[in-house]
């Protein structure tokens, strides 16, 4: 029973990583930039989720509003942060992004206060028995379901819509796409909107699972999501998703069996380094 | 006077630490987001030894050797990955280091090591020692940059495939840059441990790695004087900002962003452009990695 419990726990963790990593990997695919400030949007999503739920009493409304607002903030971040730096080496954008991320933690602390904020009455806390002997809170089930719905949505978007086809074309060859009449800038804005909205959804989910948000909640996901997209082979959406689930599960097992040796965050990176030594371009890279 | 001496010593250690990264990232073009781990290795090595009764000066060699040896392992591993993959791998090293330290009771675990003995000669002694070692390291850097090895590093930073075609043993020189750079960080760590006299896993985390990388980049990748000035300014900045201590990270983060936005090639690049504007004939353009 214990093994199954851990597996489910890891799966939930992996679903959250997947939601965060998706936006990162899309941005990397388009711009070849490691978007560290993505985690600020995750934190912002968490705060909006808690504050709007507390104000209106509706988690659903909070989730939608958080996703839309953060989506627009994401577009703004592209406009002021990355667009002027596109002609520079990627390292410059990376450092600028880290700078924004560090500053944002401080901004959250100044605006929302240094202490954590919780739900007035935490929604979705009923336990449901999903298998004989194993029960999960509704919140956890919702995390997994939401992750799958959103990811299936993106899959549909990328295969069946003009935006998706144009995005894939831009990822493969921006110049060619541009000369075929794709407005590359519109694609980039849309991807920032979608990726940031997903990060917000992940933020709301994490706030629900922990029943609190705090200014530094983005720190660990930001770096771990970078590890995930590297593991998945930078820019590969499918790779990132599989790597998210894999890491979620490995980490959960690791915290139980390797606790004397390594802490939780270093397990992820130990695994990352190990994989990169065997496959220097990620698990799912070609060749 | 004591306060000024502490600030000055901190500044010199920061310069030494930033220069050691400048060798890897600046000269050789290998981005490292985990350099603070080597500061930590030097600091822990030196602190353990002085607590066991060694004089501080005698711990410099072991601190450098151990940091350099682990740097060689990390460097050898880094040979397999490039660019963004390298950045993330070295970031992983940073997290791995703090993760391992946290779980080692021998090294103080979460609590860190307290009660590190003072250096011989107290604050003045430490300041003088730091000053000499920093100047020595900068001289070595200038020497390396002007030697044929400096040109080899530069060619690797610019285009390592072409450098390989020209018959340069790219792997060997990258490894050498890693060993020398991490040994320098180990030395800085030994000094740092005896400056603050208390070290813990959090002193060598990812933020510290980013801080030192930002010193190198704000200074202008590969520019010895640019990096020296940037390290000096960025390390004493928090002291001047005591009044706004609450907003320190905000100011710091925005500074990084604006530095990248408006002078992406750093102070060194700014100075070069200024010189070229005044004297357009001597345009010895050296592209930045």
């Amino acid at each position: 029973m214990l093994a199954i419990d851990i597996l489910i726990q890891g799966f939930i963790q992996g679903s959250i990583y997947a939601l965060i990593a998706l936006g990162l990997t899309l941005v990397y695919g388009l711009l070849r930039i490691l978007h560290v400030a993505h985690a600020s949007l995750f934190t912002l999503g968490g705060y909006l989720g808690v504050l709007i739920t507390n104000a209106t009493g509706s988690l659903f409304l909070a989730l939608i509003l958080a996703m839309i607002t953060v989506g627009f903030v994401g577009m703004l971040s592209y406009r002021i942060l990355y667009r002027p730096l596109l002609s520079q080496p990627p390292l410059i954008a990376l450092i600028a992004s880290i700078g924004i991320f560090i500053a944002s933690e401080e901004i959250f602390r100044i605006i929302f206060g240094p202490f954590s904020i919780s739900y007035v009455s935490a929604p979705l806390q009923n336990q449901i028995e999903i298998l004989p002997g194993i029960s999960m809170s509704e919140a956890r089930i919702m995390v997994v379901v939401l992750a799958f719905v959103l990811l299936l949505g993106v899959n549909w978007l990328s295969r069946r819509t003009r935006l998706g086809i144009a995005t894939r074309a831009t990822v493969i060859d921006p110049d060619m796409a541009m000369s075929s009449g794709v407005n590359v800038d519109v694609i980039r804005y849309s991807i920032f909107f979608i990726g940031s909205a997903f990060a917000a959804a992940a933020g709301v989910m994490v706030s629900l699972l922990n029943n609190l948000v705090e200014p530094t909640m983005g720190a660990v996901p930001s770096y771990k999501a970078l590890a995930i997209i590297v593991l998945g082979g930078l820019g590969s959406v499918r790779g990132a998703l599989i790597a998210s689930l894999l890491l979620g599960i490995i980490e959960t097992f690791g915290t139980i069996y390797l606790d004397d040796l390594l802490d939780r965050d270093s397990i992820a990176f130990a695994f990352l380094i190990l994989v990169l030594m065997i496959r220097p371009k990620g698990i799912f890279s070609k060749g | 006077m004591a306060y000024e001496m502490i600030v000055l010593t901190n500044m010199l250690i920061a310069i030494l630490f930033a220069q050691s990264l400048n060798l890897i990232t600046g000269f050789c073009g290998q981005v490292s987001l985990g350099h603070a781990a080597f500061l930590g290795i030097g600091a822990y090595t030196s602190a353990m030894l002085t607590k066991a009764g060694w004089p501080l000066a005698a711990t410099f060699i072991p601190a450098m050797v151990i940091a350099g040896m682990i740097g060689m392992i990390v460097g050898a591993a880094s040979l397999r990955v490039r660019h963004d993959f390298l950045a993330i791998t070295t970031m992983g090293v940073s997290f791995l280091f703090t993760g391992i330290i946290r779980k080692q009771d021998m090294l103080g675990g979460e609590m860190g090591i307290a009660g590190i003995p003072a250096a011989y000669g107290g604050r003045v002694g430490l300041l003088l020692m730091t000053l000499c070692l920093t100047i020595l390291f900068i001289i070595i850097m200038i020497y390396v940059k002007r030697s044929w090895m400096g040109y080899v590093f530069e060619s690797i930073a610019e285009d390592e495939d072409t450098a390989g075609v020209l018959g340069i043993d790219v792997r060997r020189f990258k490894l050498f840059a890693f060993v020398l750079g991490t040994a320098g960080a180990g030395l800085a760590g030994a000094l740092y441990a005896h400056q603050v006299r208390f070290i813990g896993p959090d002193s060598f985390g990812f933020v510290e790695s980013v801080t030192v990388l930002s010193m190198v980049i704000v200074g202008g990748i590969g520019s010895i004087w640019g990096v020296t000035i940037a390290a000096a300014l960025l390390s004493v900045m928090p002291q001047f900002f005591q009044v706004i201590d609450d907003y320190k990270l905000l100011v710091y983060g925005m500074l990084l962003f604006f530095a990248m936005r408006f002078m992406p090639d750093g102070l060194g690049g700014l100075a070069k452009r200024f010189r070229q504007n005044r004297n357009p004939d001597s345009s010895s353009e050296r592209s930045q990695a």
Side-chain angles (χ1 to χ4, degrees), chain B residues 56-280:
Chain B
L56 171 60
T59 69
F60 290 153
I61 300 289
M64 287 171 72
V65 167
I66 292 181
M69 263 167 34
I70 298 177
M72 188 149 95
I73 296 170
V74 172
S78 303
L79 290 177
R80 291 183 59 77
V81 287
R82 280 194 197 182
H83 307 303
D84 293 335
F85 289 94
L86 178 64
I88 303 299
T89 306
T90 50
M91 185 174 104
V93 170
S94 168
F95 280 94
L96 209 53
F97 173 74
T98 48
I100 291 171
I101 293 289
R102 268 182 224 290
K103 298 286 178 184
Q104 298 301 315
D105 292 334
M106 201 185 81
L107 298 174
E110 292 278 4
M111 307 299 291
I113 300 178
I116 298 170
Y120 174 74
R123 295 240 162 260
V124 185
L126 187 66
L127 176 61
L128 290 177
M129 207 151 27
T130 312
L131 182 67
C132 293
L133 289 169
T134 305
I135 291 175
L136 186 70
F137 197 80
I138 291 179
I139 291 173
I140 294 174
M141 292 282 290
I142 294 173
Y143 175 75
V144 166
K145 190 170 178 170
R146 289 191 181 162
S147 70
W148 54 271
M149 198 158 68
Y151 291 105
V152 170
F153 282 154
E154 212 175 300
S155 72
I156 293 173
E158 225 152 277
D159 186 342
E160 58 181 88
D161 293 323
T162 310
V165 171
L166 289 174
I168 292 168
D169 191 344
V170 173
R171 303 168 65 90
R172 216 174 76 194
F173 282 100
K174 270 195 199 173
L175 212 52
F176 188 72
F178 259 100
V179 172
L180 206 58
T182 52
L187 179 62
L191 294 166
Y192 175 79
H194 293 83
Q195 161 74 353
V196 293
R197 317 245 317 256
F198 164 78
I199 52 173
D202 292 328
S203 324
F204 310 106
F206 182 62
V207 175
E208 282 67 28
S209 293
V210 171
T211 310
V212 66
L213 184 62
S214 64
M215 286 172 184
V216 172
I217 290 177
V218 170
I221 284 180
S223 154
I224 294 176
W225 300 117
V227 171
T228 305
I229 295 167
L233 288 180
L234 288 178
S235 62
V236 295
M237 203 187 65
Q239 316 284 343
F240 288 134
F241 289 163
Q242 283 300 354
V243 253
I244 53 158
D245 199 34
D246 270 0
Y247 305 90
K248 203 171 71 188
L249 283 175
L250 177 65
V251 172
Y252 189 73
M254 293 317 284
L255 188 81
L256 274 190
F257 168 68
F258 283 113
M260 293 302 97
R261 175 74 181 77
F262 295 109
M263 44 171 226
D265 44 3
L267 293 172
L270 213 62
K272 203 178 296 165
R273 256 182 290 165
F274 183 65
R275 271 203 306 271
Q276 274 164 14
N277 283 347
R278 283 208 318 191
N279 187 4

Side-chain angles (χ1 to χ4, degrees), chain A residues 132-198:
Chain A
I134 298 175
S135 53
M136 264 164 83
S137 71
E138 286 168 339
R140 294 178 166 211
I141 297 173
M142 167 137 169
V143 169
V144 177
V145 172
L146 188 76
F148 270 77
V149 169
L150 289 176
L151 296 175
L152 284 177
V154 147
N155 189 37
W156 175 81
L157 209 65
S158 119
R159 285 178 193 283
R160 298 270 181 251
T161 63
R162 283 185 73 86
L163 175 70
I165 294 165
T167 305
R168 282 187 288 147
T170 314
V171 168
I172 294 167
D173 189 338
D175 294 334
M176 216 39 210
M178 222 183 304
S179 57
S180 314
V182 174
N183 187 338
V184 174
D185 229 26
V186 170
I187 301 289
R188 287 177 180 151
Y189 277 116
S190 330
I191 290 304
F192 266 89
F193 182 86
I194 295 172
S196 309
F198 277 36

Side-chain angles (χ1 to χ4, degrees), chain A:
Chain A
M1 270 310 118
L2 179 68
I4 296 179
D5 265 347
I6 301 172
L7 201 67
I8 292 174
Q9 182 58 40
F11 200 71
I12 292 167
Q13 194 63 48
S15 308
I16 290 171
Y17 288 155
L19 281 179
I20 304 173
L22 185 83
L24 265 189
T25 200
L26 285 173
V27 169
Y28 188 86
L30 272 180
L31 303 178
R32 306 278 138 189
I33 284 173
L34 294 168
H35 176 31
V36 177
H38 195 60
S40 316
L41 302 170
F42 161 84
T43 311
L44 181 62
Y47 268 104
L48 288 177
V50 174
L51 293 176
I52 298 174
T53 308
N54 284 350
T56 64
S58 162
L59 178 69
F60 180 73
L61 182 70
L63 180 66
I64 300 293
L65 276 181
M67 285 177 73
I68 292 174
T69 317
V70 175
F72 281 113
V73 177
M75 284 164 75
L76 193 69
S77 78
Y78 168 64
R79 178 67 191 83
I80 59 171
L81 177 56
Y82 296 118
R83 201 153 165 262
L85 294 177
L86 284 179
S87 57
Q88 301 291 344
L91 181 63
I92 302 296
L94 174 66
I95 300 291
S97 187
I98 291 175
I100 291 287
F101 176 64
I102 292 174
S104 78
E105 279 194 350
E106 205 78 337
I107 293 173
F108 287 127
R109 197 175 58 76
I110 293 165
I111 297 178
F112 300 114
F115 305 110
S116 59
I117 303 177
S118 297
Y119 286 96
V120 175
S121 63
L124 303 177
Q125 298 297 331
N126 295 329
Q127 297 284 324
I128 294 178
E129 193 163 347
I130 46 165
L131 284 171
I134 298 175
S135 53
M136 264 164 83
S137 71
E138 286 168 339
R140 294 178 166 211
I141 297 173
M142 167 137 169
V143 169
V144 177
V145 172
L146 188 76
F148 270 77
V149 169
L150 289 176
L151 296 175
L152 284 177
V154 147
N155 189 37
W156 175 81
L157 209 65
S158 119
R159 285 178 193 283
R160 298 270 181 251
T161 63
R162 283 185 73 86
L163 175 70
I165 294 165
T167 305
R168 282 187 288 147
T170 314
V171 168
I172 294 167
D173 189 338
D175 294 334
M176 216 39 210
M178 222 183 304
S179 57
S180 314
V182 174
N183 187 338
V184 174
D185 229 26
V186 170
I187 301 289
R188 287 177 180 151
Y189 277 116
S190 330
I191 290 304
F192 266 89
F193 182 86
I194 295 172
S196 309
F198 277 36
V204 176
M205 291 297 105
V206 169
S207 74
L208 204 57
L209 289 181
N210 301 337
N211 192 20
L212 62 86
V213 284
E214 51 190 345
T216 54
M217 68 186 271
V220 169
S222 67
Y223 310 127
K224 224 174 273 175
L226 289 181
I228 287 168
I229 68 168
V230 168
L231 269 180
L234 281 168
S236 151
V237 172
R238 190 182 311 160
L241 298 185
I242 298 172
S244 304
L245 291 180
L246 210 59
L247 191 67
I249 291 166
I250 285 173
E251 230 181 51
T252 319
F253 275 98
T255 30
I256 290 174
Y257 295 109
L258 293 174
D259 192 45
D260 299 337
L261 223 58
L262 294 168
D263 70 351
R264 188 184 180 97
D265 302 334
S266 44
I267 290 169
F269 284 102
F271 179 63
L272 168 85
I273 293 173
L274 200 69
V275 169
L276 283 184
M277 288 309 106
I278 303 163
R279 293 188 64 89
K281 290 188 170 172
I283 309 179
F284 302 101
S285 62
K286 298 181 190 80

